[in-house]
Amino acid sequence: MSLRNLLYGPYERQLSRTLRDKGNPPCHIGVILDGNRRWARQSGAPTAQGHQRGADKISEVLGWSEDAGVQVVTLWMLSTDNLERESDELDALLEIICSTVERLADDGRWRLQHVGSTDILPPDAAARLGAAVARTESATGLHVNVAVGYGGRHEIADAVRSLLREGVDAGHSLEEVAESFAVEHIAEHLYTKGQPDPDLVIRTSGEQRLSGFLMWQSAHSEFYFCDAYWPDFRRVDFLRALRAFSQRERRHGR
């Protein structure tokens, strides 16, 4: 065991005890899983290996979230922008993502929900994700949103489109729908409708931007940016994010 591990063990346990004593963990955490490709380059490994190492990290983080009392975790696994990558990388990435979601479903502990646009995914990938999600409908554990083919602007556009269609289907004109339009109506048509908004959004790899992640839902979220690449994200990094969240005064603009 390295000296670093010897030092971090007691520190991690102390952090965990402190957070348990404080209570009030975030109900919903959003995670931007960033840095797989840079981890691969730094390690001299193929890009696909970086994506696989990142995928292997997910179950660990869900376990940490359960232990902390978190109820909902949203994992941004593939953005709409990512769909523009070279076909070889994208095909390998989609296979890794689908296999990972299937393994999460097979675990049986977590209830999965796909958030994103299935229309822009390859039909086979969309079908595999849908089948995996369906297998978890009776699960009662942590609610896990797998954001695949997700973009915040796409989500808001889809929400508005759904709202307009609902109004027209109910026999209202577009003018009537526009006249009665309210902010709350958007939330009712988001991919995450019915869920609490994220209290905390974590992004790995040192980047300090949201890149369109949960644009509507994160209006009052706290943000934590971690320098570690996603494959290297440790429990101590996760606990530090929770500690930072616990130290912030959340006034929601009031």
Side-chain angles (χ1 to χ4, degrees):
M1 182 179 292
S2 68
L3 177 60
R4 171 176 288 187
N5 288 335
L6 286 172
L7 294 174
Y8 269 108
Y11 172 56
E12 184 179 293
R13 290 191 290 273
Q14 178 60 42
L15 264 180
S16 185
R17 283 194 297 269
T18 300
L19 290 167
R20 276 200 305 271
D21 292 342
K22 286 187 174 182
N24 195 33
C27 177
H28 181 174
I29 294 179
V31 188
I32 303 175
L33 289 60
D34 195 21
N36 292 337
R37 293 198 295 180
R38 278 170 285 169
W39 180 92
R41 283 198 296 269
Q42 189 178 76
S43 304
T47 298
Q49 186 174 333
H51 291 314
Q52 185 61 61
R53 284 291 294 267
D56 294 341
K57 176 65 59 175
I58 289 173
S59 292
E60 277 188 276
V61 175
L62 295 182
W64 303 337
S65 299
E66 283 183 312
D67 292 343
V70 177
Q71 298 177 35
V72 182
V73 174
T74 299
L75 303 166
W76 199 8
M77 302 176 74
L78 184 79
S79 72
T80 50
D81 291 337
N82 295 156
L83 291 168
E84 302 299 321
R85 291 182 178 177
E86 295 293 331
S87 59
D88 288 348
E89 180 185 353
L90 181 59
D91 290 345
L93 178 54
L94 282 168
E95 175 58 36
I96 290 169
I97 288 171
C98 289
S99 296
T100 300
V101 174
E102 288 166 344
R103 284 198 301 274
L104 295 178
D106 292 339
D107 184 280
R109 284 183 289 168
W110 306 305
R111 183 178 181 184
L112 306 183
Q113 178 177 335
H114 175 233
V115 296
S117 177
T118 55
D119 295 341
I120 61 177
L121 294 175
D124 177 63
R128 289 176 66 183
L129 291 173
V133 166
R135 295 203 302 274
T136 70
E137 286 182 352
S138 61
T140 58
L142 186 70
H143 189 110
V144 181
N145 295 316
V146 287
V148 182
Y150 175 86
R153 290 177 176 176
H154 282 75
E155 180 179 26
I156 293 171
D158 282 348
V160 173
R161 190 178 300 112
S162 174
L163 174 63
L164 294 177
R165 285 174 176 163
E166 181 180 81
V168 171
D169 290 344
H172 302 295
S173 67
L174 288 177
E175 289 78 9
E176 289 171 331
V177 175
E179 185 65 28
S180 62
F181 184 86
V183 169
E184 293 76 18
H185 295 151
I186 293 289
E188 293 167 1
H189 291 80
L190 295 172
Y191 303 144
T192 58
K193 62 184 177 182
Q195 300 180 23
D197 289 338
D199 302 294
L200 173 65
V201 174
I202 300 171
R203 181 169 188 158
T204 56
S205 87
E207 303 291 351
Q208 298 189 24
R209 59 180 182 274
L210 291 184
S211 301
F213 182 55
L214 301 177
M215 291 173 63
W216 186 276
Q217 299 93 324
S218 64
H220 297 295
S221 299
E222 302 295 329
F223 305 121
Y224 185 84
F225 301 106
C226 175
D227 287 335
Y229 295 141
W230 174 249
D232 289 333
F233 189 65
R234 304 162 299 174
R235 185 168 182 262
V236 71
D237 298 316
F238 179 76
L239 294 174
R240 282 169 170 167
L242 297 189
R243 180 182 62 185
F245 173 81
S246 72
Q247 293 171 341
R248 296 179 189 176
E249 182 181 358
R250 307 189 72 211
R251 297 187 297 272
H252 300 288
R254 294 189 291 271

